[in-house]
Amino acid sequence: MKRILYYSLVLLAAGNGMLQAQNWIHGKVVDKEERPVDGVAVVLQTLDSTYIDAVVTDSLGAFMLNQEAGPNYRLLFQHLLYEPVCKKISTADAGTISLTEKDYELEGVVVKAERPQVKVENGALKYDVPQLMKDKAVSNAFEVVKQIPGVISTDDAVQLLGAGSPSIVINGQLTTMSVDQLVGLLKTIPASRVCNVEIMYNAPAKYNIKGAMINVVLDKETVEKNTLQGETGVDYLQRHYAEGKVHGNLLYSTSRFNIDFLANGAKGRNYMGEEIQALHTLKDQVTEVNQSGRGTRSGIDGTMRLGMDYTFKNDDRLSAAYYLTAGKFDLERTAATTFQVLESGQPVEERLSRTYIEGNSALHNVRIQYDGNSGLMAGADFTRYHSPGFQTFVDQSHETTVTDMQNNSKQDISQGALFINHSHTFETGWALNYGVHGGFTSSKTYIDYHYCPVKVD
């Protein structure tokens, strides 16, 4: 009797588990030829882009999220070799989702990489960059980020599918640098230094970031023997004028200590020109405007980063980094413009303008952070930006009226942050994150403007 009761309880529990599993969101992902696609990142969101959960399809293309369906849910499907897909769901069975394959063309040859390795860890999609970029022509960390499934980029702007503009961090460490400044830093880091990229649609509280986040993790594996490695390169570009670039990096590693240094610089001259024609209507008169503009820009800029980290015997880690980017440029432009009121018999008005701009900028960033094995994380970050500039503008018409304008400007921005966080994981698997984050910002802008219209006899 007891045995019968025991088996009845087992069958009842199994039946309840199967019934609950049927209520969980599930489906299958295939390509256009109905073949299953594994390694697809499946992200569950609400319709207002709030992150719920994420999984990766198995070798049969199947997926299951430990969530019940709702009327305001949608699924995002992301894979390096396929176009991203977004699907709204209202039932647990999401059905079969068909992905359209991408073609990567390089010098007339279609290259198909191996399927990427992606894992879901603590709510983050973790991409194995060496495997993901195995057959990709990428040279720096920012190009790696642009290749990650779900990341949409236009020039230097980065968007995350279903989450808008994400925050970007390096090695999970807080910084006061802006997204544009971080993009500039990523462009100086060789692609070979990137170990993995983590996509978080809802960053944990310990990162002091609201919303989505992209974490670029650099390769700093511990080694048994002391190692020294590095690389250097030179680029030359010939257009109307010549431009040259040089870059290099070094990494020294021991079992507990790592130090890395990278630097690059560029110097060149660019030519620009345009022809513009427009018809401007005011009341009953049409004015034809023709402009021919020419200009040159010459400049020099460079970046440098020095980073160090030390791991103690108890696995606590102390890290520090200094980043500098600076540049100087000169811009000269001339423009010849004519104005003629059509069908009026009025003479053509001609104007000649000349512009000269001289600019300088320097950005310093210093960061120090301590990561304890007990979940404690504390640190500080400071950014300083300085940018003086000078500009002149002269405009002369055939009526011999000359306008002379001069502008001296200077911008100084300082921003700092202090933070301390602690994460505690309970035996049940739940985690508690709490901490304090504070900072300051100082911004000063100076403009000295002179306007002098002169009548020449």
Side-chain angles (χ1 to χ4, degrees), residues 354-367:
R354 296 185 298 273
T355 304
Y356 173 75
I357 301 175
E358 179 181 305
N360 299 273
S361 65
L363 183 144
H364 306 264
N365 176 259
V366 180
R367 181 196 51 75

Side-chain angles (χ1 to χ4, degrees), residues 103-118:
D103 284 336
Y104 294 90
E105 188 171 341
L106 181 63
E107 298 180 356
V109 179
V110 176
V111 179
K112 295 183 179 180
E114 296 180 7
R115 290 171 176 173
Q117 294 183 357
V118 55

Side-chain angles (χ1 to χ4, degrees), residues 201-223:
Y201 283 85
N202 188 17
K206 66 179 182 179
Y207 292 109
N208 300 292
I209 291 175
K210 293 182 180 180
M213 184 184 83
I214 298 178
N215 181 25
V216 181
V217 182
L218 303 183
D219 187 5
K220 290 186 178 181
E221 296 182 359
T222 57
V223 295

Side-chain angles (χ1 to χ4, degrees), residues 45 49 74 150-152 158-167 201 212 214:
Q45 292 182 327
S49 301
R74 67 180 177 187
V151 175
I152 305 171
V158 175
Q159 298 283 325
L160 190 59
L161 181 65
S165 300
S167 300
Y201 283 85
I214 298 178

Side-chain angles (χ1 to χ4, degrees), residues 19-27 42-46 51-55 63-70 73-75 89 91-94 430:
L19 182 60
Q20 185 178 9
Q22 290 178 354
N23 293 329
W24 289 342
I25 299 173
H26 61 278
V42 184
V43 180
L44 176 64
Q45 292 182 327
T46 62
Y51 172 84
I52 303 297
D53 200 0
V55 293
F63 67 91
M64 178 177 291
L65 295 126
N66 296 335
Q67 299 286 337
E68 295 184 0
Y73 283 170
R74 67 180 177 187
L75 293 172
I89 61 172
T91 62
D93 188 1
W430 287 86

